[in-house]
Amino acid sequence: MTIQKITIPKRDFNGYFVGFSKIKVVWECPTCGGKMGEPQLTPHVEDGFHGSIHAWENQCGHVTKYEDLKGHMQ
């Protein structure tokens, strides 16, 4: 099992952007358990905040949303 530390958008209870969070997650596709791609930092601008978040492409072709990863956090 591989653990990866990534940066994702942080949202409040209503879904509004409030900053960035660094989280550790199990680095496998939550849909099929396959290997996920290498995370790359990408620029992110929202509601006056400027920073970088990680994005990747899964080798299995499934799209993994950030909220799907939260269930896999350690």
Side-chain angles (χ1 to χ4, degrees), residues 6 8 23-30 36 54 56 64-74:
I6 62 170
I8 64 170
I23 61 172
K24 290 182 182 179
V25 295
V26 175
W27 203 244
E28 63 185 30
C29 176
M36 298 210 322
H54 284 99
W56 60 91
T64 302
K65 297 178 182 178
Y66 294 123
E67 51 269 12
D68 295 338
L69 290 175
K70 292 179 183 178
H72 288 68
M73 285 193 309
Q74 286 197 339

Side-chain angles (χ1 to χ4, degrees), residues 10-73:
K10 182 177 181 181
R11 302 198 179 273
D12 67 10
F13 180 74
N14 295 314
Y16 292 105
F17 183 80
V18 294
F20 301 95
S21 291
K22 291 184 180 187
I23 61 172
K24 290 182 182 179
V25 295
V26 175
W27 203 244
E28 63 185 30
C29 176
T31 303
C32 69
K35 187 174 180 181
M36 298 210 322
E38 188 66 30
Q40 304 292 320
L41 276 175
T42 59
H44 185 80
V45 178
E46 186 176 343
D47 294 338
F49 290 93
H50 299 266
S52 296
I53 57 174
H54 284 99
W56 60 91
E57 288 189 29
N58 292 342
Q59 294 176 3
C60 60
H62 291 118
V63 174
T64 302
K65 297 178 182 178
Y66 294 123
E67 51 269 12
D68 295 338
L69 290 175
K70 292 179 183 178
H72 288 68
M73 285 193 309

